[in-house]
Amino acid sequence: MKILIVEDEKIKRITLTDALLKEGYDVLAIDNPVEALNIFKEREFDVVITDIRLPHMDGLAFLKEIKALKPDTTAIVMTAYATVDTAIKAMKLGAYDYITKPFSSEELLLILERLKDFRRLVEENIKLKQEITERYSFGNIVGKSKKMKGVYELIETVAPRDATVLIIGESGTGKELIANAIHYNSPRKDKPFVKFSCAALAESLLESELFGHEKGAFTGAVKERRGRFELANNGSIFLDDIDDIPLSMQTKLLRVLQEKEIEKVGGTKTIKVDIRIICATKVDLLKLAKQGKFREDLYYRLNIVPINLPPLRERKEDIPLIVEYLLNKYSSKMGKKTFCHEAMKLLINYDWPGNVRELENVVERVVTLTKSNDIRVEDLPDFLMASPEKLCDRHLIDVMEEAASFEDMIKDMEIRLLTLAIKKASGNKSEAARILKMKRETFRDKVEKHGIVLEPPQATNGKP
Ligand SMILES: Nc1ncnc2c1ncn2[C@@H]1O[C@H](COP(=O)(O)OP(=O)(O)OP(=O)(O)O)[C@@H](O)[C@H]1O
Ligand SMILES: [Mg+2]
């Protein structure tokens, strides 16, 4: 660590310098701040230790100067006991610490040791944060599954170019989030980003919305109006639910893509536009094209770079990460809430037909309604509880993974069936055999073979 000391008292300056040199620090000691400042401008120092009362220039003014020149420099001020007020002023100016005079060299060395630890921590923390963001997310898109990493790579490749992008994904998979990431990572990021859903708009309305209209183009068109394409000029447009646009409009859209020009409703002149187009669809456009509901040529024009967003159930490893992100987002200042292990397991097991949006709604609701900071299974909505069939499947999967052979699996099932029947029959052997639809002798043999211990039948009337 390179240290600059500014101290006018000769003895203090020499003892400090010696002590620091002995500990292996690289030290330069100067007796006046004006000269120190000149040297500071020329050379790099990690730490500046300065006295407050100095000739020619006040220590606080000196501190202000060095912080203005190189804000990252760590400054420690030395001050007389009587002027703690000044020390506080120094801290406000961005000093890292202060030390009150008189002090021993050991005290200063201790501060420097702490500083080293602190710097190491800060550096590690920065590195860690970088790693996390690089590996697990893209902006506010969270997920580290292989599929999502593939999506991040695609965004990175495609964002800087003008290529048309088609985002395909079920409801709530994050299509709009991806569209944002593309626009805001593109050279057009400071230009307009217009979002428009093509769903459920009457054809005439849709046309005037997208292309604008001239005054008097139709009844009610009292003023000339600019459409979304014109508003998005030089920027990007996000056309959501592109599968919903009627065939006639598809032809007009094709023209925008091919000729890069539009015409207002009721207008005669063509307007040149420079727009990057990002579309999204929940349905397979090629299938629609085959059914004659979507222009095939338009499909190929839009599908230059397809980005397939996988449903959440196909990337379950992302669920804990997204939940963590949502917990941070929705936890209040009262403290962060967490899901207990079992509750998290239910979140992971569920199929999430509404994908991330549905998961977000559930987390927000549960975080709001649960008073304790530990969220337990009981706090979750009922529909997350696995159905009996699912539980049974899960159980079978566990058995398959643990058993050494098929015979072992069968044996395991047999033991479980026998135990369950015995429990159901409250220990009554004949009844258990009947439940299992087997002869009493067979039942007895099997119980013996597997070494199942039979509890004496329990009284059902509550009396011994
Ligand atoms: N990978 C993700 N990480 C974090 N949040 C996400 C992620 N994916 C989606 N979300 C969140 O889920 C919600 C739904 O996302 P978005 O609106 O982008 O989905 P969509 O695919 O456009 O849905 P729809 O088809 O219903 O319009 C948003 O609140 C979004 O922030
Ligand atoms: Mg959407």
Side-chain angles (χ1 to χ4, degrees):
M1 246 182 353
K2 289 204 176 75
I3 301 178
L4 174 66
I5 298 179
V6 190
E7 168 64 88
D8 55 337
E9 285 172 55
K10 194 171 173 191
I11 296 174
K12 193 79 200 163
R13 194 169 65 238
I14 292 170
T15 41
L16 276 182
T17 310
D18 285 351
L20 296 186
L21 282 173
K22 232 163 98 192
E23 290 299 315
Y25 291 105
D26 187 347
V27 188
L28 178 69
I30 306 288
D31 63 357
N32 87 78
V34 180
E35 191 189 340
L37 204 57
N38 286 332
I39 296 173
F40 180 78
K41 281 179 196 158
E42 306 281 339
R43 290 163 54 179
E44 291 296 326
F45 293 97
D46 300 298
V47 183
V48 174
I49 303 172
T50 179
D51 194 8
I52 287 287
R53 213 175 297 154
L54 289 165
H56 310 302
M57 185 184 199
D58 170 50
L60 286 180
F62 174 71
L63 177 66
K64 219 172 177 170
E65 293 271 347
I66 62 166
K67 276 286 172 187
L69 284 166
K70 297 172 194 169
D72 287 342
T73 310
T74 304
I76 298 169
V77 299
M78 302 179 278
T79 173
Y81 183 70
T83 57
V84 178
D85 254 13
T86 328
I88 292 168
K89 274 189 200 138
M91 300 295 277
K92 281 188 181 154
L93 285 174
Y96 164 77
D97 207 344
Y98 68 89
I99 187 162
T100 40
K101 284 180 170 182
F103 60 86
S104 64
S105 304
E106 277 74 14
E107 280 178 75
L108 182 62
L109 287 172
L110 219 68
I111 293 185
L112 290 174
E113 278 303 310
R114 252 199 302 128
L115 174 65
K116 269 201 260 177
D117 286 343
F118 173 71
R119 288 188 150 209
R120 215 195 48 241
L121 266 175
V122 169
E123 260 162 35
E124 272 171 16
N125 206 345
I126 290 173
K127 232 175 89 197
L128 207 76
K129 271 196 185 137
Q130 265 170 0
E131 257 175 42
I132 289 176
T133 41
E134 272 164 23
R135 292 213 319 264
Y136 300 155
S137 63
F138 198 106
N140 46 1
I141 312 168
V142 183
K144 62 166 177 174
S145 56
K146 217 171 146 213
K147 286 182 176 173
M148 284 313 283
K149 281 185 186 161
V151 169
Y152 303 154
E153 271 166 32
L154 255 178
I155 297 174
E156 258 169 71
T157 320
V158 79
R161 310 190 189 165
D162 271 346
T164 302
V165 178
L166 177 63
I167 306 166
I168 308 136
E170 288 179 12
S171 184
T173 45
K175 295 185 291 295
E176 194 168 332
L177 221 52
I178 303 291
N180 281 331
I182 294 172
H183 173 77
Y184 289 107
N185 283 286
S186 81
R188 294 172 182 261
K189 63 173 185 288
D190 298 318
K191 297 279 160 27
F193 183 35
V194 174
K195 296 178 182 179
F196 184 74
S197 167
C198 308
L201 262 192
E203 199 171 325
S204 56
L205 224 63
L206 185 64
E207 183 175 3
S208 122
E209 276 296 329
L210 283 176
F211 296 91
H213 59 245
E214 294 291 350
K215 184 179 172 183
F218 45 84
T219 357
V222 286
K223 273 202 306 216
E224 182 195 342
R225 185 160 183 242
R226 295 204 295 167
R228 304 294 172 120
F229 282 120
E230 220 180 324
L231 292 171
N233 201 9
N234 298 316
S236 317
I237 191 164
F238 175 51
L239 297 174
D240 206 354
D241 304 297
I242 190 78
D243 50 288
D244 251 357
I245 64 168
L247 279 165
S248 65
M249 289 294 296
Q250 291 176 23
T251 318
K252 293 190 168 128
L253 183 57
L254 194 62
R255 183 163 162 216
V256 180
L257 283 158
Q258 280 172 339
E259 320 291 339
K260 309 214 174 307
E261 56 188 34
I262 56 164
E263 221 164 74
K264 284 186 176 162
V265 178
T268 45
K269 59 176 192 288
T270 52
I271 304 165
K272 277 275 171 206
V273 284
D274 170 23
I275 303 170
R276 201 257 175 93
I277 298 184
I278 305 168
C279 302
T281 175
K282 292 188 196 58
V283 301
D284 184 351
L285 288 184
L286 193 59
K287 220 179 197 169
L288 284 189
K290 296 266 181 281
Q291 293 165 0
K293 291 179 188 150
F294 203 86
R295 287 184 66 127
E296 210 167 330
D297 46 2
L298 178 61
Y299 166 73
Y300 287 111
R301 276 271 167 191
L302 294 177
N303 198 42
I304 311 262
V305 183
I307 296 184
N308 281 293
L309 268 186
L312 195 53
R313 62 184 169 279
E314 286 176 18
R315 44 175 162 125
K316 284 187 179 284
E317 66 265 47
D318 286 345
I319 294 178
L321 220 68
I322 297 175
V323 168
E324 182 63 22
Y325 163 81
L326 295 172
L327 281 172
N328 282 326
K329 183 169 167 186
Y330 291 112
S331 285
S332 67
K333 290 184 204 85
M334 308 293 288
K336 202 181 132 192
K337 300 195 177 175
T338 45
F339 286 92
C340 78
H341 188 67
E342 286 303 309
M344 182 61 95
K345 249 166 97 182
L346 286 179
L347 294 178
I348 296 171
N349 279 338
Y350 186 62
D351 267 350
W352 301 108
N355 295 294
V356 186
R357 179 178 294 111
E358 191 185 10
L359 175 62
E360 180 163 4
N361 291 343
V362 166
V363 172
E364 185 182 4
R365 205 173 85 197
V366 171
V367 163
T368 316
L369 295 180
T370 309
K371 289 205 178 72
S372 146
N373 277 354
D374 290 314
I375 303 169
R376 295 180 312 171
V377 171
E378 304 87 272
D379 303 317
L380 296 179
D382 286 345
F383 67 86
L384 287 179
M385 308 303 158
S387 64
E389 305 90 73
K390 276 237 177 94
L391 280 177
C392 188
D393 284 354
R394 282 203 57 76
H395 178 71
L396 284 177
I397 289 168
D398 287 346
V399 171
M400 281 191 264
E401 275 166 5
E402 279 159 26
S405 64
F406 185 68
E407 283 70 34
D408 274 358
M409 293 180 211
I410 299 291
K411 185 177 153 195
D412 186 279
M413 293 316 296
E414 212 171 278
I415 294 172
R416 280 172 199 271
L417 282 173
L418 288 163
T419 317
L420 192 66
I422 292 165
K423 209 169 147 194
K424 253 191 115 180
S426 309
N428 183 319
K429 286 176 233 168
S430 321
E431 174 65 8
R434 199 190 56 75
I435 292 172
L436 289 169
K437 305 185 177 62
M438 57 172 71
K439 288 199 189 110
R440 254 200 79 138
E441 296 76 46
T442 323
F443 175 80
R444 198 190 54 219
D445 288 350
K446 285 188 183 294
V447 165
E448 245 167 53
K449 187 174 118 199
H450 294 308
I452 298 171
V453 186
L454 281 174
E455 301 284 333
Q458 281 169 4
T460 44
N461 57 1
K463 285 181 201 149

